[in-house]
């Protein structure tokens, strides 16, 4: 919806949606947003009149100092907009700011955005400290390329740890409820199966995504109507993604024949098959600031492994050793690179071993030990 790109001490803002908008800007460290008016970006008061901004590109060169800036916009028709009415852009860097990232203690998500688990400067100057991101032909590695590996690393750790890191809104049957993907939800999930035997013994539901940020809906339904809401009487184990029902929808003392006759007309054989749980919840971490430090470290190392493989070849591709001799003088050079060993092979191996140990140690923190009986 709104994108921002920096050109030294100027910023180009692109609004991709048609219409007229009010535009606001904030500098990292400042307490309030400034409103775009005919006099530039100013502090809003009762007499301030916003200057309309249309779709397309907008150049901001109004009193930009060195630092980080974020932008947001909302339709001009919103007279008293709230936080949720805005579209937000990420931080953009203006002027000379130096490295920015969590390892430098100077990064936090821009207002209204999830943020970055690891910043490109964290990889450039911390995890790959001492290595130039420039190939022998002069090409440099861009921040966009680095972010690709960071996002891939997050997805890889989500799979290996069976968790969700980036916040996702999970909803049941969103199309029937007129929910819009990207605006109202991110992932669609089917109904969870109801099992009387499991309720009688445990009274818990294990969600597909974890950790849980917030539970919005927990209904027991049959094919036709909502039978019962258990939201107010459910305790949520957010880390492991377990819903513990304090008030069970069916008491173990009740007979399954009587329940099935009352709820569904075809008898006990179809009892479990025609009752389900409808669950709406948010999973992952609210913002990148909420990621545990050890998990952030794992994301950084996992990203660095991919970058070291690529950058090593760019610096010295297919080179193992060379020698030169002339008139009694000789010079030789050998590297650790070979057909089966990367240029940064030693650091890659250390990161891989540390990452493997971390995954083995924390896997059960987010889930359960899988057991089977023959």
């Amino acid at each position: 919806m709104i994108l921002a790109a920096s050109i030294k001490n100027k910023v180009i803002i692109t609004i991709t949606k048609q219409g007229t908008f009010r535009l606001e800007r904030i500098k990292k460290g400042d307490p309030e947003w400034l409103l775009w008016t005919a006099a530039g970006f100013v502090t809003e008061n009762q007499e301030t009149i916003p200057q309309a901004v249309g779709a397309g590109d907008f150049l901001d060169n109004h009193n930009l100092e060195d630092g980080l800036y974020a932008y947001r916009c909302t339709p001009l028709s919103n007279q008293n907009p709230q936080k949720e009415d805005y579209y937000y852009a990420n931080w953009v860097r203006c002027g000379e700011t130096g490295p920015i990232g969590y390892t430098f203690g100077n990064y936090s998500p821009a207002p209204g955005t999830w943020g970055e688990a690891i910043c490109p400067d964290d990889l450039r100057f911390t995890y790959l400290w001492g290595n130039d991101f420039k190939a022998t032909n002069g090409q440099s590695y861009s921040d966009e390329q680095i972010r690709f590996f960071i996002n891939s690393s997050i997805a890889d750790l989500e799979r290996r740890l069976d968790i969700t890191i980036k916040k996702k809104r999970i909803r049941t049957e969103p199309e029937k409820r007129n929910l819009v993907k990207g605006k109202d939800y991110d992932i669609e999930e089917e109904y969870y199966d109801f099992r009387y035997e499991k309720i009688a013994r445990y009274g818990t539901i294990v969600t597909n995504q974890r950790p849980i940020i917030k539970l919005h809906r927990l209904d027991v339904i049959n094919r036709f109507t909502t039978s019962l809401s258990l939201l107010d009487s459910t305790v949520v184990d957010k880390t492991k993604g377990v819903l513990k029902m304090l008030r069970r929808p069916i008491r173990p003392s009740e007979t399954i024949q009587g329940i099935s006759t009352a709820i569904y007309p075809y008898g006990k054989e179809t009892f479990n098959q025609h009752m389900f749980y409808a669950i709406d919840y948010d999973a992952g971490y609210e913002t990148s600031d909420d990621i545990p430090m050890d998990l952030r470290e794992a994301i950084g190392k996992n990203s660095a492994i991919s970058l070291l493989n690529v950058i090593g070849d760019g610096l010295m591709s297919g080179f193992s050793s060379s020698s030169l001799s002339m008139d009694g003088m000789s010079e030789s050079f050998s590297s650790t690179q070979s057909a089966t060993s990367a240029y940064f092979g030693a650091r890659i191996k250390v990161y891989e071993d540390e990452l493997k140990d971390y995954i083995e140690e924390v896997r059960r923190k987010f889930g359960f030990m899988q057991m089977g009986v023959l």
Side-chain angles (χ1 to χ4, degrees):
M1 172 58 198
I2 178 171
L3 306 172
S6 174
I7 308 174
K8 276 296 183 181
N9 291 315
K10 299 178 182 179
V11 177
I12 297 177
I13 298 101
T14 302
I15 300 176
T16 59
K17 191 173 182 179
Q18 295 298 317
T20 56
F21 301 86
R22 60 180 281 157
L23 179 66
E24 298 180 23
R25 181 187 82 186
I26 191 171
K27 182 182 179 183
K28 184 172 174 57
D30 287 352
E32 59 184 351
W33 292 84
L34 302 180
L35 176 66
W36 174 247
T37 67
F41 282 100
V42 300
T43 302
E44 185 176 8
N45 55 49
Q46 294 181 349
E47 299 179 356
T48 306
I49 300 176
Q51 181 80 11
V53 176
D57 294 335
F58 171 85
L59 178 64
D60 177 18
N61 58 359
H62 182 264
N63 295 334
L64 285 169
E65 302 173 347
D66 292 353
L68 295 178
Y69 290 85
Y71 295 82
R72 68 180 184 181
C73 68
T74 188
L76 195 62
S77 56
N78 290 340
Q79 298 297 322
N80 296 297
Q82 304 300 312
K83 291 189 297 184
E84 59 272 14
D85 297 326
Y86 285 91
Y87 300 95
Y88 293 84
N90 280 310
W91 293 119
V92 289
R93 186 183 329 205
C94 288
E96 301 296 331
T97 59
I100 294 171
Y102 280 104
T103 59
F104 303 98
N106 58 5
Y107 178 81
S108 60
T113 66
W114 188 82
E116 299 186 59
I118 288 288
C119 299
D121 285 349
D122 288 320
L123 287 169
R124 289 181 186 276
F125 302 108
T126 301
Y127 292 98
L128 279 77
W129 181 69
N131 298 305
D132 191 6
F133 279 43
K134 185 174 289 187
T136 53
N137 63 358
Q139 287 184 325
S140 296
Y141 228 65
S142 68
D143 286 355
E144 288 72 21
Q145 290 173 295
I146 296 173
R147 286 191 179 96
F148 171 82
F149 285 108
I150 294 172
N151 291 330
S152 298
S153 173
I154 292 173
D156 182 44
L157 284 174
E158 285 181 333
R159 175 183 58 83
R160 295 167 72 176
L161 290 172
D162 193 21
I163 64 173
T164 300
I165 297 176
K166 283 193 171 183
K167 179 182 177 180
K168 296 179 177 64
R169 298 162 296 175
I170 298 121
R171 303 293 184 263
T172 303
E173 290 198 331
E175 293 183 0
K176 289 185 177 180
R177 299 157 61 190
N178 297 319
L179 301 180
V180 179
K181 188 171 184 178
K183 179 182 179 182
D184 303 312
Y185 77 100
D186 301 304
I187 296 177
E188 177 182 357
E189 273 191 356
E190 298 297 327
Y191 292 121
Y192 286 69
D193 292 334
F194 177 92
R195 289 289 180 268
Y196 172 78
E197 300 81 2
K198 191 172 182 179
I199 288 298
R201 178 169 295 184
Y202 303 109
T204 61
I205 305 171
V206 181
T207 58
N208 294 329
Q209 310 282 338
R210 66 191 66 83
I212 293 176
I213 299 173
K214 185 176 181 180
L215 179 66
H216 297 279
R217 176 192 183 203
L218 174 54
D219 292 342
V220 181
I221 67 170
N222 59 33
R223 291 187 63 186
F224 307 104
T225 61
T226 298
S227 300
L228 180 66
S229 173
L230 303 175
L231 184 62
D232 295 335
S233 59
T234 298
V235 175
V236 182
D237 183 339
K238 293 185 177 182
T239 300
K240 294 183 179 293
V242 179
L243 310 181
K244 302 176 182 179
M245 291 173 283
L246 301 178
R247 178 168 60 91
R248 302 186 187 183
I250 298 172
R251 295 191 298 272
S253 59
E254 296 175 324
T255 62
I256 193 169
Q257 293 89 345
I259 298 169
S260 60
T261 301
I263 294 181
Y264 198 75
Y266 297 111
K268 66 179 182 180
E269 290 79 8
T270 59
F271 178 75
N272 284 331
Q273 288 77 8
H274 292 87
M275 291 188 67
F276 305 92
Y277 296 107
I279 305 176
D280 291 346
Y281 61 104
D282 299 336
Y285 294 97
E286 187 68 40
T287 70
S288 59
D289 276 351
D290 300 310
I291 297 176
M293 291 304 295
D294 58 341
L295 181 55
R296 195 188 313 282
E297 174 86 347
I299 294 171
K301 290 178 179 177
N302 202 25
S303 305
I305 290 170
S306 299
L307 281 169
L308 287 168
N309 277 317
V310 175
I311 293 171
D313 282 346
L315 292 174
M316 193 175 291
S317 178
F319 183 88
S320 178
S321 64
S322 69
S323 61
L324 176 67
S325 62
M326 182 176 62
D327 296 335
M329 299 181 63
S330 64
E331 180 183 33
S332 62
F333 173 81
S334 297
S335 74
T336 59
Q337 190 170 5
S338 67
T340 58
S341 179
Y343 183 53
F344 295 113
R347 189 182 296 198
I348 291 172
K349 185 178 186 306
V350 170
Y351 281 167
E352 285 179 337
D353 291 343
E354 291 175 349
L355 193 60
K356 180 180 178 182
D357 292 340
Y358 171 79
I359 291 173
E360 290 299 321
E361 290 172 1
V362 304
R363 189 190 300 274
R364 296 188 188 94
K365 172 184 176 182
F366 300 102
F368 305 91
M369 180 183 296
Q370 299 295 326
M371 300 182 65
V373 178
L374 296 177

